[in-house]
């Protein structure tokens, strides 16, 4: 798409075609990088969802609602929750 974009823009933008092409290409490549980062949210990397911590919070809430002693929170491993 980015290779043929200047051909489509040349008649309407003139000398600013490289600028508009670079801006649109930057947007496309940025969205591609973002989608690759968000593609797998269930893992053990630092930017993945902390599912163990979320499940423990739900478990503590259920124990408190039942009037029982809740378990302790999970400690963070390597400064993030898994």
């Amino acid at each position: 798409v980015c290779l043929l974009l200047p051909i489509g823009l040349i008649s309407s933008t003139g000398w600013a075609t490289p600028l508009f092409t670079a801006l649109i290409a930057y947007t496309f490549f940025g969205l591609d990088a973002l989608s690759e980062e968000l593609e797998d949210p269930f893992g053990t990397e630092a930017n993945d969802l902390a599912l163990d911590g979320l499940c423990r919070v739900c478990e503590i809430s259920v124990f408190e609602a039942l009037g029982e002693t809740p378990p302790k929170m999970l400690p963070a491993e390597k400064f993030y929750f898994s």
Side-chain angles (χ1 to χ4, degrees):
V1 173
C2 292
L3 293 175
L4 298 176
L5 187 60
I7 296 170
L9 289 177
I10 192 72
S11 63
S12 61
T13 57
W15 63 270
T17 300
L19 177 68
F20 286 118
T21 303
L23 182 67
I24 292 170
Y26 179 76
T27 304
F28 282 155
F29 291 133
L31 287 173
D32 181 51
L34 179 66
S35 66
E36 285 181 13
E37 193 66 33
L38 296 175
E39 185 174 77
D40 185 24
F42 307 109
T44 56
E45 296 177 5
N47 64 343
D48 291 335
L49 294 174
L51 295 179
D52 292 338
L54 291 171
C55 291
R56 183 53 65 106
V57 168
C58 293
E59 185 180 9
I60 290 171
S61 297
V62 169
F63 272 90
E64 289 175 348
L66 294 174
E68 299 179 16
T69 304
K72 296 187 187 253
M73 283 295 296
L74 295 173
E77 297 174 12
K78 299 178 186 174
F79 303 106
Y80 65 91
F81 292 102
S82 63

